[in-house]
Amino acid sequence: MGLWLALAFGAWLFLKYRRDYAEVCYTDLLWPARWPQHRVRMGNAYIAQGDALLRQGEYALAVHKLRAGVSRAPANASGRTLLARVYLAYRRPDLAKELLLGGLPHLSADPAYLQTTLAYLLEFNEDAQLQEIATRMLAAPAPPKTQPLLATFAATAAFHRGNYDQAEKLLKSHRLQDSTDGVSLLARIAWERGWPELAILQLKEHLALHPQADAPRTLLAGYYRSLGRLSEWESTLVERVAADPVAPAPRIAYLQVLQLRDDRSRLDRETTAILHQFGRDPAALVLLADFAANTGRPALARQVQQALTAHPEFAGTAALMVAEAHLVAGEYQPTLDLIARYTSDYPEWTSQFAPVLAGLQSVALSGLGRADEARLSLDHLLIQKNLRAENLVAVAHRLTALGARAPAQAVLARAVETDPLNQTALASLIRLELESDELGSLPAHLERYLRTRQPSRELLTQASAVLGSDRHLLLPAQKPLLAALQAALDPRRP
């Protein structure tokens, strides 16, 4: 017994003074039954030390402490999420993913940790894995607090993959169709299916009951603008600012009004004020960078990139925004120069964003009239793994705007091949085929589109008009396709 006490005391001294674990408890070392508690407490102490070291700028030692802490205290949610953020800052999303997923067996009942993990999968286009995890967890007994979260993420992943029927089924089966997230997702589905008035009605009805809800009002403003209803769009943006005047998102959204008015002096004043007020808020800065990218303002995008240097986990996003801002501004050569520099200087994160960069490069080369090089870049894009159809659709739309219809059609065909249930990609491909009068693959695409739950009536009407022309009498399956289109357009159809 005396020897055991001496060994325990020696271990206590070693951990306290050699392993920098000041909180070590002697009785935890003395009794074997308390060793698991000791291990967890030691892990929690290491995680706290790692957090403090990060704040002091001791990154290498902080990572060592965090890794040691998480291995000993696997159910420490803050330790896992903190270490995952560090991995992302070091451009190792693979390690962040492994770490977050490894915590699910221990933390599946923790809504905050679950949301962080599922949001990560959604952000990095891991839609299939997200759906598999959410479906498996929903099938098992789950805490009431996590079921709505799981169902919402699963439905969102299904939406991104174009499986609108499954997304609606998930929302309705878990009674989420009246929640803010549920209504927003249902409105997005209605919009993508070509039912804009239904989308607007759903959002307005929800806002009448929940006037402080920002996400539905944001969607509503975007839909008004897309429809050209600019007075309603501006009014909705003003309502956003009035509902929460100190929040950055509504103020940044209102910059679009100033951009449309071409009120440059006020726009410059507002962006300067936002940078000053929210210069330490990375979420607000990313929103401002997105505005700069979409409106073709490279100088503003660079200002935001500079402000985000204190947040290295956003380095890749900020850099991409600068490149996209040049592209939208029609500055194609600067776009190519930036992509080349990024690829040379930051190989780790450029490999992570390879599909996005290849898309930007293809569009820039097309804008410069370098069709052969654009096609090579496009070929590189289309062989990438883990492509998301919505990103391919965005590339196709940019190519179409430049008159590069054939490359755009190839991109959309790849999108449909990647996600056969993606209605947005399929509808875009059908529309391009109809406009280009290249109908060889149209029958197969239309047959698939007609099997979707709510195909766009506008697109079906266009297809019926084109196929009904005498020029396409010899098109295979013309008659049965026309009959199917007319049946789908029949107002008496239930």
Side-chain angles (χ1 to χ4, degrees):
M1 186 65 178
L3 178 61
W4 181 254
L5 293 172
L7 288 172
F9 184 69
W12 179 82
L13 289 173
F14 176 78
L15 292 172
K16 185 176 181 68
Y17 296 106
R18 296 295 297 274
R19 291 300 186 195
D20 196 26
Y21 178 29
E23 298 86 359
V24 61
C25 179
Y26 176 68
T27 54
D28 285 348
L29 299 175
L30 187 62
W31 304 111
R34 299 182 67 170
W35 285 354
Q37 290 178 301
H38 157 72
R39 182 176 177 82
V40 170
R41 287 176 180 172
M42 188 175 182
N44 291 336
Y46 280 168
I47 289 169
Q49 291 172 17
D51 188 8
L53 288 166
L54 279 178
R55 299 175 191 278
Q56 297 166 17
E58 299 287 344
Y59 301 117
L61 185 56
V63 170
H64 173 73
K65 289 286 188 180
L66 289 171
R67 292 178 65 178
V70 169
S71 70
R72 290 169 172 79
N76 188 308
S78 61
R80 282 189 180 272
T81 53
L82 181 59
L83 183 54
R85 288 200 297 270
V86 173
Y87 283 151
L88 289 175
Y90 278 94
R91 305 184 182 97
R92 290 300 305 271
D94 55 328
L95 295 179
K97 175 185 173 182
E98 180 182 352
L99 181 72
L100 291 172
L101 293 180
L104 287 179
H106 309 280
L107 295 159
S108 60
D110 184 331
Y113 182 82
L114 192 59
Q115 178 160 355
T116 297
T117 303
L118 298 179
Y120 171 90
L121 293 174
L122 197 66
E123 174 68 21
F124 284 86
N125 303 351
E126 301 282 358
D127 303 319
Q129 188 168 15
L130 191 159
Q131 283 186 286
E132 185 273 325
I133 290 171
T135 301
R136 172 165 41 84
M137 294 180 71
L138 285 169
K145 290 183 179 180
T146 63
Q147 283 186 346
L149 182 67
L150 288 165
T152 300
F153 269 99
T156 304
F159 169 79
H160 280 307
R161 288 296 178 184
N163 195 340
Y164 302 151
D165 295 352
Q166 184 182 358
E168 288 182 327
K169 182 179 178 181
L170 280 163
L171 292 174
K172 291 176 182 177
S173 63
H174 291 275
R175 300 179 182 179
L176 297 171
Q177 65 269 35
D178 295 325
S179 68
T180 295
D181 289 338
V183 165
S184 298
L185 192 54
L186 288 172
R188 293 171 71 187
I189 292 170
W191 179 269
E192 294 297 341
R193 281 176 164 156
W195 291 36
E197 294 305 325
L198 174 59
I200 289 172
L201 178 63
Q202 290 171 326
L203 295 171
K204 290 178 70 174
E205 287 181 344
H206 185 76
L207 286 168
L209 298 173
H210 307 279
Q212 296 301 314
D214 187 59
R217 188 171 279 113
T218 303
L219 269 183
L220 184 61
Y223 292 160
Y224 279 143
R225 184 174 186 181
S226 296
L227 295 171
R229 293 159 63 170
L230 298 182
S231 61
E232 291 167 292
W233 167 65
E234 184 171 346
S235 298
T236 306
L237 291 180
V238 171
E239 289 172 5
R240 284 193 68 195
V241 176
D244 195 352
V246 297
R251 287 181 57 188
I252 293 170
Y254 190 73
L255 296 177
Q256 300 171 40
V257 174
L258 303 179
Q259 174 77 13
L260 187 66
R261 291 176 177 170
D262 199 23
D263 191 343
R264 297 184 182 182
S265 59
R266 186 177 173 190
L267 182 59
D268 290 340
R269 289 198 303 271
E270 286 296 315
T271 53
T272 300
I274 290 170
L275 277 169
H276 177 74
Q277 186 172 352
F278 303 104
R280 296 183 179 180
D281 183 346
L285 292 171
V286 169
L287 285 176
L288 187 58
D290 187 60
F291 166 78
N294 290 329
T295 55
R297 297 174 64 87
L300 176 59
R302 287 186 184 279
Q303 283 183 282
V304 178
Q305 184 184 31
Q306 181 63 32
L308 281 168
T309 53
H311 305 277
E313 65 271 27
F314 294 102
T317 300
L320 289 174
M321 297 294 189
V322 175
E324 189 169 0
H326 280 294
L327 188 71
V328 173
E331 299 171 359
Y332 302 122
Q333 190 57 52
T335 303
L336 294 177
D337 294 341
L338 272 178
I339 293 173
R341 196 176 83 217
Y342 294 159
T343 304
S344 173
D345 295 346
Y346 310 107
E348 291 107 352
W349 71 256
T350 51
S351 64
Q352 173 192 335
F353 292 106
V356 180
L357 290 169
L360 293 172
Q361 187 176 50
S362 299
V363 176
L365 289 167
S366 294
L368 291 171
R370 293 155 61 177
D372 291 341
E373 294 174 81
R375 183 68 205 193
L376 286 173
S377 180
L378 200 61
D379 290 342
H380 178 67
L381 167 64
L382 299 183
I383 63 172
Q384 297 292 318
K385 296 180 180 179
N386 207 28
L387 292 172
R388 179 176 277 180
E390 65 181 22
N391 292 338
L392 293 174
V393 170
V395 172
H397 288 170
R398 291 193 188 279
L399 290 170
T400 302
L402 292 171
R405 288 181 173 272
Q409 195 165 327
V411 173
L412 291 171
R414 179 71 172 91
V416 171
E417 176 190 339
T418 301
D419 298 319
L421 296 176
N422 192 298
Q423 291 179 225
T424 303
L426 187 57
S428 299
L429 178 58
I430 290 170
R431 184 172 285 107
L432 195 56
E433 289 173 333
L434 291 170
E435 292 172 356
S436 62
D437 211 28
E438 296 179 7
L439 309 185
S441 302
L442 182 66
H445 294 151
L446 269 177
E447 287 172 5
R448 187 189 302 174
Y449 189 61
L450 284 166
R451 290 196 296 270
T452 60
R453 190 174 185 184
Q454 287 182 320
S456 164
R457 292 182 63 83
E458 174 269 327
L459 185 56
L460 295 183
T461 301
Q462 182 184 358
S464 180
V466 172
L467 288 174
S469 169
D470 292 341
R471 293 184 296 114
H472 302 301
L473 288 174
L474 299 180
L475 185 71
Q478 186 213 37
K479 289 185 179 180
L481 264 180
L482 277 174
L485 288 168
Q486 290 166 3
L489 291 166
D490 190 339
R492 296 169 296 178
R493 184 188 181 197

